[in-house]
């Protein structure tokens, strides 16, 4: 989760910006929220290269390294270009992650009682991401009014997803006289595994899951912020109806 902390659109831990989890930290099915491993970054001109080797299991509640890589290993390689397009700061990146961890074969997702589901190894995610700043805030270098996106192709088995797209617009200090206010509009769409959809078909119809959110973070004082948001969600299971939610969040720093 910390890898997204400095991003002007994604990240924020659901506290400072967006509340909808697939926008805060877009899941890929191969990278756990908390992991142990090695991250290497190297800058060459306008390109930043990133290499990661990490344990495929979620380490949120287990920081003891005795069983590292017992269930497999994840490799990730990516590069991001940062420069100007149409005279404005722009980034474009491509990354790939591969996991050797075995998962449930989603074709056996709903087996009759007494039968054991098979396993399948080799899960991957290929992600394209980018950003473009239309206007740079004099009070927030590198931020202002910008568009951001992340789109991924995924293996679909044992990964529960086939593809995803997340993106939107974020604005820092756009309202006159409100230099530290932040607002954003985000949208996410996740397409579930075809194998999972087919296996679940006798019980439930599963479609893509979509969501949209708007938030406005209002700085009352430098240590007190109020954020109002509204979300729309169309769940994957078609037995569930779409939902609208509104919220008000207060954050006090001390």
């Amino acid at each position: 989760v910390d890898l997204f902390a400095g991003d002007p659109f994604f990240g924020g831990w659901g506290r400072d910006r967006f509340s909808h989890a697939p926008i805060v930290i877009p899941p890929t099915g191969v990278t756990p929220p908390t992991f142990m491993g090695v991250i290497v970054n190297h800058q060459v001109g306008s390109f930043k290269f990133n290499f990661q080797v990490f344990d495929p299991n979620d380490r949120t509640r287990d920081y003891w390294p005795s069983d590292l890589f017992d269930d497999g290993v994840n490799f990730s390689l990516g590069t991001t270009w940062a420069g100007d397009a149409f005279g404005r700061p722009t980034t474009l990146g491509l990354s790939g992650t591969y996991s050797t961890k075995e998962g449930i074969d989603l074709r056996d997702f709903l087996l009759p009682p007494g039968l054991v589901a098979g396993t399948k190894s080799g899960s991957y995610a290929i992600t394209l991401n980018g950003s473009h700043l239309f206007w740079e805030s004099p009070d927030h270098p590198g931020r202002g009014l910008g568009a951001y996106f992340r789109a991924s192709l995924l293996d679909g088995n044992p990964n529960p997803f086939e593809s995803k797209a997340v993106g939107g617009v974020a604005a820092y200090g756009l309202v006159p006289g409100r230099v530290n206010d932040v607002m954003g509009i985000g949208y996410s769409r996740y397409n579930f595994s075809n194998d999972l959809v087919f296996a679940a078909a006798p019980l439930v119809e599963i479609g893509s899951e979509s969501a949209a959110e708007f938030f406005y973070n209002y700085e009352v004082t430098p240590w007190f912020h109020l954020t109002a948001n509204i979300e729309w969600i169309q769940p994957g299971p078609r037995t569930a109806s779409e939902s609208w939610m509104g919220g008000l969040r207060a954050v006090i720093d001390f």
Side-chain angles (χ1 to χ4, degrees):
V1 177
D2 290 321
L3 295 177
F4 285 92
D7 193 279
F9 181 82
F10 304 102
W13 285 89
R15 182 194 70 180
D16 299 322
R17 298 191 287 276
F18 290 102
S19 296
H20 189 61
I23 300 178
V24 175
I25 176 170
T28 62
V30 292
T31 304
T34 303
F35 61 81
M36 284 187 176
V38 176
I39 300 174
V40 178
N41 292 313
H42 184 61
Q43 189 82 28
V44 180
S46 299
F47 291 87
K48 180 180 180 180
F49 295 90
N50 175 272
F51 177 68
Q52 302 177 31
V53 179
F54 56 93
D55 188 88
N57 295 319
D58 182 17
R59 293 284 173 167
T60 302
R61 294 179 175 85
D62 180 14
Y63 291 159
W64 194 251
S66 61
D67 58 349
L68 279 177
F69 307 115
D70 282 359
D71 294 331
V73 59
N74 283 18
F75 302 93
S76 179
L77 180 64
T79 183
T80 300
W81 169 82
D84 287 342
F86 307 104
R88 299 294 183 184
T90 304
T91 66
L92 188 64
L94 180 66
S95 64
T97 302
Y98 181 81
S99 176
T100 65
K101 180 181 178 180
E102 289 189 345
I104 295 176
D105 190 331
L106 297 178
R107 292 171 295 186
D108 300 335
F109 184 68
L110 291 175
L111 285 177
L115 295 181
V116 179
T119 61
K120 195 172 184 296
S121 61
S123 189
Y124 66 83
I126 301 172
T127 300
L128 179 69
N129 62 275
S131 68
H132 182 74
L133 205 60
F134 301 105
W135 168 79
E136 187 170 18
S137 169
D139 301 286
H140 302 278
R143 301 186 177 192
L145 175 61
Y148 306 85
F149 78 92
R150 295 180 69 86
S152 298
L153 292 177
L154 314 162
D155 58 274
N157 191 3
N159 199 317
F161 306 115
E162 292 274 1
S163 62
K164 70 177 177 71
V166 185
V169 175
Y172 289 74
L174 186 64
V175 177
R178 305 296 311 169
V179 297
N180 292 322
D181 287 2
V182 185
M183 69 178 76
I185 301 174
Y187 175 80
S188 66
R189 181 184 177 92
Y190 283 77
N191 296 314
F192 289 96
S193 159
N194 286 333
D195 288 338
L196 175 62
V197 171
F198 181 78
L203 294 181
V204 60
E205 179 186 357
I206 299 178
S208 60
E209 180 164 306
S210 302
E213 179 180 359
F214 169 79
F215 78 88
Y216 190 99
N217 184 321
Y218 182 88
E219 184 188 70
V220 181
T221 71
W223 50 267
F224 180 34
H225 289 250
L226 285 173
T227 303
N229 80 313
I230 185 168
E231 297 179 58
W232 167 82
I233 300 174
Q234 172 62 70
R238 290 303 180 239
T239 53
S241 60
E242 64 180 39
S243 302
W244 287 89
M245 294 175 287
L248 182 64
R249 178 178 64 219
V251 175
I252 300 174
D253 298 310
F254 58 90

